Amino acid sequence: MRRFKFTLESVLTVRKKALEDARIRLASITNIYNQQQLVLKEMQQALENIRNDSEKYLLQETFNPCMVSNYGAFSNKITQDITSQKLIIERTKLDLAKQQEITKNAYIQVKSLEKLKEKQKAQYDREVLQEEFKLIDDIVNSRRTIA
């Protein structure tokens, strides 16, 4: 009896590989996004610490205009860094959304081929079962004619 062979098995294998690659790329972008979020939180925490230190220094009895200027300049630099980090995060979000779409499409392609394979396997099983019933029927009929 012939064995079941899915004619698109090589295509299914290639699509599974593409899906795996897409998932790996998605995980990589997600990790980058999470790291960028952490950097942003650290920057915001640093800005808050600088502002707190600046306020403490202003309340001290010793006043140095250079120190106040330095605190202000550093605060402005961190604010600019936060703004640029937010832009980087937005670009990464776009990349993440694109990769999610690519991964989703790859998943759909794999699933559609797997469903086709299941349907063909079910059809094959039905045909084999019919052949077996015919074979059994032939055996039974040949025994009746012999007897």
Side-chain angles (χ1 to χ4, degrees), residues 36-49:
Q36 290 173 348
Q37 289 284 25
L38 288 174
V39 168
L40 178 64
K41 286 180 183 178
E42 288 173 2
M43 287 179 177
Q44 290 170 337
Q45 185 66 36
L47 179 63
E48 189 174 324
N49 290 341

Side-chain angles (χ1 to χ4, degrees), residues 47-59:
L47 179 63
E48 189 174 324
N49 290 341
I50 293 297
R51 288 183 178 161
N52 289 339
D53 290 346
S54 174
E55 287 177 16
K56 287 178 186 176
Y57 184 75
L58 288 173
L59 296 176

Side-chain angles (χ1 to χ4, degrees), residues 58-115:
L58 288 173
L59 296 176
Q60 290 178 353
E61 291 181 15
T62 58
F63 181 77
N64 185 347
C66 283
M67 287 297 289
V68 173
S69 174
N70 287 343
Y71 275 121
F74 192 57
S75 176
N76 288 338
K77 183 191 178 322
I78 291 178
T79 303
Q80 290 173 353
D81 289 346
I82 287 173
T83 303
S84 65
Q85 185 67 22
K86 285 181 180 179
L87 291 174
I88 291 170
I89 288 173
E90 286 302 315
R91 278 187 245 129
T92 304
K93 272 186 186 178
L94 293 175
D95 290 344
L96 187 62
K98 286 179 189 175
Q99 190 60 39
Q100 284 173 337
E101 188 64 30
I102 290 169
T103 305
K104 180 179 138 186
N105 289 337
Y107 179 78
I108 289 171
Q109 289 178 346
V110 167
K111 281 300 174 186
S112 65
L113 275 181
E114 285 178 344
K115 284 184 180 183

